Amino acid sequence: MKITDLMIPSVMIMDMKASTKEEAIDELIASLNNQGRINDPVLFKDMILKRELESSTGIGDGIAMPHAKTRAVNEATVVFGRSRKGVDYEALDGQPSHLFFMIAAPEGAANVHLQTLAALSRLLIDQPFVEQVKKAKTPADVVRLFDHKQAEKEREEMKTNDKQDGKPFIVAVTACPTGIAHTYMAEDALKKKAEEMGVAIRVETDGSEGVKNRLTKVEIAQAVGVIVAADKKVEMARFDGKRVLQTAVSSGIRKPEELIQKVLDKKAPTYHAEGGSDESEASDNKVSVWGKIYKDLMNGISHMLPFVVGGGILLAVSFLLENTLGQNNSIFKMLSTIAGGTGAFHFLIPILAGYIAYSIGDRPALMPGMVGGLLAANSNAGFLGGLAAGFLAGWIILFLKKVFTNLPKSLDGLKPVLIFPVLGLLITGSLMYYIADPIFNWVNTELVNVLNNLGTGNAVILGLVLGGMMSVDMGGPVNKAAYTFAIGVFTSSGNTNGLMMAAVMAGGMVPPLAIALATTLFKNKFTESEQKAGITNYVLGLSFITEGAIPFAASDPMRIIGANVIGSAIAGGLTQLWHINVPAPHGGIFVIFLANHALLFLVSIAIGAVVSGLILGFWKKPLDKKIAGHPSKSATNEKEVNIL
């Protein structure tokens, strides 16, 4: 597709006035609306913001690509906008965004926004080209630059696809979780560097539109090695026996020469599809055993979380209606049905177990994992039983793969359709029925009994620990361990489930709120960019999005983490001191009305945030005047970044 067919000169904004992310979105949408390219600016903005909630479309390097596909669009359009001063668009690299490409796609257009994203990403990976676009004087100059660059790119791709004799040949796969910009940026970086190094390359992309440029068996066989730059699961069995270098998609963008050279030097380990042991060894970023367990656990939790959040909040609302309108109210009955034991909550443990198993043993492990999780849920083995079922099913499938490695080729087809499903389910189900279920049923029951009978002092200590853990790494393993514990209690029987959730929610809300408060009260200790980000943290903190504090923690870990752990621990402890119950697993301020002591819950959070904010404000040193003009550095931060 030709990019400039969608880049209408009259819609372009060569000198944007916006100073915030929302102002930038509004300015771009206004241009679309003024030119009649959209029919409902309110709906279009809602769809843009909905996409931003998934992850920022500020992809880094000064570029943002907000996009939406909706009936509010009359004609497919790319709005080009340029901000000379830059806008804090919450970009993935934390830097201001200068070039904006807002993609508006009509509802009936098949994947036009994804095709446009892919095409733009391939062009914008070229920094000299980006600099030329930044210096363009008129919309006509922008169109000319993109026409010229796209034609040049097409010639390069034709040249690359025509593999010349004598050149070493490698193949690669790029993929990111969202499957949009980074997938194609990594593809383009690898292609460009390979051409410079005199290497022929074929790159398969696994993006939102599915797999494109799929590698053939002949190409894989001819290649001297394989690069898999992916942050999500890709099809690996086809690389059996090849030298495979596995790494993150970001490495494909940032370190293409290093990856290509490692493959050429035969430093990539040989990958074996069966057995599971070689896959981790083939990684460019080696993962420890505990790291692998954590990854598998998070795969289960991430798939389970929508059921927890959606079902949990609706179930809590149904409790509220039951208390006010009675059990015979039709809305209460509806909500309790779709969210409770026969609705969303019915799937929690099976989904958790199934996707833990899937992460370990791939697709053959999904079914036995989910059935094992269902057995755990039905026998009151709860969250812990689900964890056991997931790991058991995954490891059992790995064991079966090893056992049947040498099965005659003529019988290979029986493994996925007969051997793995039957034996996987039989062994997993038997272990859960005779061994795991009774054990975890007892453990789960005892845990709930202990929590139900905790004295105030012990409950406060537990609240202090859980609240503090939420601030240690703000979304990392320690944070997730605390939240996972609270979720486990939340999904179990007993009247303490909302108590633990109150502690972790309060603890998780404190870090961004504390940073927002510190940047407001102690302006001389934060850069202008940090002060703007601090304002955003008010919203993130109130929404229980702890990750808003991460950019600050990365630049000044000792002070940020130290101050926040203290405030979060205090907030978590106060929720237990005052016996606050929040029967919803997420939502922050938006579920405050569900708490039994809503005002005290707010007070707990406020006290924790004020304590952390004041500690941080007094502890942090004022900015060096020479560095104050540079938003990304401070006198104290510069030294600690080097230490990291």
Side-chain angles (χ1 to χ4, degrees):
M1 67 177 300
K2 192 175 181 182
I3 294 290
T4 51
D5 287 343
L6 305 181
M7 296 179 72
I8 312 302
S10 61
V11 182
M12 294 184 185
I13 308 173
M14 301 304 293
D15 188 11
M16 294 178 65
K17 308 302 181 187
S19 58
T20 67
K21 179 174 182 176
E22 186 162 2
E23 287 176 0
I25 291 172
D26 287 339
E27 191 171 353
L28 294 166
I29 292 175
S31 182
L32 273 172
N33 192 44
N34 291 339
Q35 297 298 320
R37 311 298 288 191
I38 57 176
N39 56 64
D40 189 340
V42 175
L43 173 59
F44 185 72
K45 182 179 179 180
D46 286 344
M47 298 303 291
I48 288 286
L49 294 178
K50 182 179 178 181
R51 171 59 186 86
E52 292 296 324
L53 287 175
E54 297 176 15
S55 65
S56 175
T57 55
I59 62 176
D61 293 326
I63 299 167
M65 291 194 286
H67 52 275
K69 178 180 178 181
T70 167
R71 58 183 170 79
V73 178
N74 294 327
E75 296 180 74
T77 310
V78 175
V79 188
F80 170 76
R82 180 177 62 192
S83 170
R84 299 185 187 280
K85 62 183 178 181
V87 175
D88 181 2
Y89 200 81
E90 301 171 8
L92 300 179
D93 61 0
Q95 299 302 309
S97 297
H98 294 273
L99 299 182
F100 296 84
F101 300 86
M102 177 175 278
I103 303 169
E107 201 165 48
N111 295 327
V112 66
H113 64 303
L114 299 179
Q115 294 170 11
T116 307
L117 279 165
L120 280 171
S121 299
R122 291 188 176 106
L123 300 180
L124 296 172
I125 190 70
D126 188 327
Q127 281 302 314
F129 172 68
V130 171
E131 291 303 317
Q132 288 179 330
V133 176
K134 287 182 179 179
K135 295 175 183 177
K137 294 181 179 179
T138 66
D141 290 339
V142 175
V143 172
R144 178 180 52 79
L145 284 168
F146 272 90
D147 275 341
H148 177 76
K149 186 62 180 178
Q150 192 163 18
E152 179 186 299
K153 181 65 64 179
E154 289 172 358
R155 289 193 297 270
E156 288 177 359
E157 289 181 353
M158 290 176 63
K159 189 176 178 180
T160 300
N161 289 336
D162 184 19
K163 300 186 284 290
Q164 299 177 9
D165 292 338
K167 277 187 176 182
F169 176 55
I170 63 177
V171 295
V173 180
T174 62
C176 64
T178 55
I180 304 178
H182 287 88
T183 300
Y184 304 106
M185 292 172 74
E187 174 200 19
D188 203 67
L190 288 166
K191 284 183 175 180
K192 185 175 181 180
K193 186 55 65 175
E195 184 176 7
E196 292 176 7
M197 298 171 68
V199 175
I201 189 170
R202 271 272 287 131
V203 183
E204 172 184 303
T205 57
D206 188 357
S208 291
E209 293 183 272
V211 175
K212 297 291 184 181
N213 305 316
R214 183 179 288 276
L215 301 174
T216 66
K217 291 182 179 180
V218 173
E219 288 170 333
I220 295 171
Q222 291 176 344
V224 297
V226 184
I227 297 171
V228 177
D231 290 339
K232 62 185 247 187
K233 186 180 285 291
V234 298
E235 185 184 340
M236 294 295 297
R238 54 191 165 152
F239 302 132
D240 186 34
K242 301 295 295 185
R243 291 187 176 274
V244 180
L245 187 65
Q246 295 186 72
T247 187
V249 69
S250 59
S251 296
I253 299 171
R254 307 296 181 190
K255 302 188 292 183
E257 183 174 7
E258 179 182 327
L259 301 180
I260 293 170
Q261 195 60 53
K262 280 187 178 181
V263 171
L264 295 178
D265 293 341
K266 298 183 178 180
K267 292 182 179 178
T270 301
Y271 176 79
H272 296 292
E274 295 293 342
S277 60
D278 294 287
E279 184 168 351
S280 60
E281 294 172 3
S283 174
D284 185 45
N285 302 316
K286 293 188 178 179
V287 181
S288 66
V289 172
W290 287 111
K292 180 67 170 64
I293 291 175
Y294 173 73
K295 171 181 168 291
D296 299 333
L297 175 62
M298 286 303 106
N299 191 60
I301 290 176
S302 65
H303 282 87
M304 180 190 73
L305 202 55
F307 293 85
V308 175
V309 176
I313 292 177
L314 290 181
L315 192 61
V317 172
S318 75
F319 292 156
L320 188 67
L321 292 175
E322 181 186 18
N323 292 333
T324 56
L325 302 177
Q327 291 185 349
N328 294 324
N329 179 266
S330 60
I331 299 178
F332 158 70
K333 290 180 178 179
M334 176 194 71
L335 290 176
S336 61
T337 299
I338 64 176
T342 58
F345 259 45
H346 183 67
F347 294 94
L348 297 186
I349 306 304
I351 291 291
L352 170 73
Y355 280 95
I356 288 174
Y358 179 78
S359 180
I360 298 169
D362 217 329
R363 188 173 299 176
L366 180 62
M367 183 274 292
M370 291 189 74
V371 175
L374 185 63
L375 291 172
N378 289 341
S379 62
N380 200 33
F383 192 81
L384 295 176
L387 293 178
F391 283 104
L392 278 174
W395 292 333
I396 286 166
I397 292 298
L398 289 183
F399 170 74
L400 291 175
K401 286 182 177 181
K402 283 187 177 181
V403 170
F404 292 98
T405 298
N406 298 318
L407 199 69
K409 290 291 183 182
S410 59
L411 299 178
D412 264 358
L414 291 177
K415 288 193 285 188
V417 300
L418 181 64
I419 296 174
F420 294 155
V422 173
L423 293 182
L425 178 60
L426 177 62
I427 299 172
T428 303
S430 299
L431 288 173
M432 289 300 297
Y433 186 84
Y434 286 109
I435 303 172
D437 263 357
I439 294 173
F440 287 103
N441 188 343
W442 175 81
V443 171
N444 191 57
T445 303
E446 289 301 310
L447 174 62
V448 171
N449 289 337
V450 168
L451 292 173
N452 281 333
N453 294 293
L454 275 179
T456 300
N458 289 330
V460 170
I461 292 173
L462 183 57
L464 286 167
V465 172
L466 291 175
M469 288 174 69
M470 294 296 291
S471 284
V472 170
D473 50 7
M474 290 168 281
V478 177
N479 170 286
K480 286 294 188 290
Y483 189 71
T484 299
F485 175 80
I487 288 290
V489 177
F490 184 82
T491 56
S492 303
S493 59
N495 58 16
T496 57
N497 46 21
L499 293 174
M500 297 300 102
M501 195 53 64
V504 298
M505 194 179 296
M509 293 170 70
V510 163
L513 289 174
I515 286 170
L517 191 63
T519 57
T520 301
L521 299 178
F522 301 90
K523 293 183 182 294
N524 65 321
K525 299 187 177 183
F526 296 90
T527 66
E528 183 180 348
S529 176
E530 288 172 332
Q531 290 172 34
K532 290 179 180 178
I535 295 173
T536 304
N537 270 270
Y538 279 115
V539 178
L540 296 175
L542 292 173
S543 304
F544 184 30
I545 302 175
T546 316
E547 288 80 358
I550 290 176
F552 291 84
S555 64
D556 194 357
M558 182 172 65
R559 293 180 179 87
I560 298 294
I561 295 174
N564 283 332
V565 166
I566 295 172
S568 291
I570 290 172
L574 287 174
T575 64
Q576 302 309 291
L577 178 66
W578 292 329
H579 303 287
I580 299 169
N581 187 310
V582 180
H586 213 286
I589 195 71
F590 302 105
V591 296
I592 192 70
F593 64 92
L594 299 175
N596 60 337
H597 301 298
L599 181 60
L600 288 177
F601 185 52
L602 289 174
V603 171
S604 302
I605 297 166
I607 291 174
V610 168
V611 170
S612 286
L614 292 176
I615 291 174
L616 176 59
F618 288 121
W619 192 0
K620 196 171 177 65
K621 295 180 181 179
L623 292 178
D624 187 323
K625 292 182 180 179
K626 294 181 180 179
I627 301 177
H630 299 276
S632 61
K633 292 183 180 180
S634 71
T636 55
N637 293 350
E638 190 171 31
K639 180 179 178 182
E640 291 178 12
V641 169
N642 291 334
I643 293 173
L644 286 173

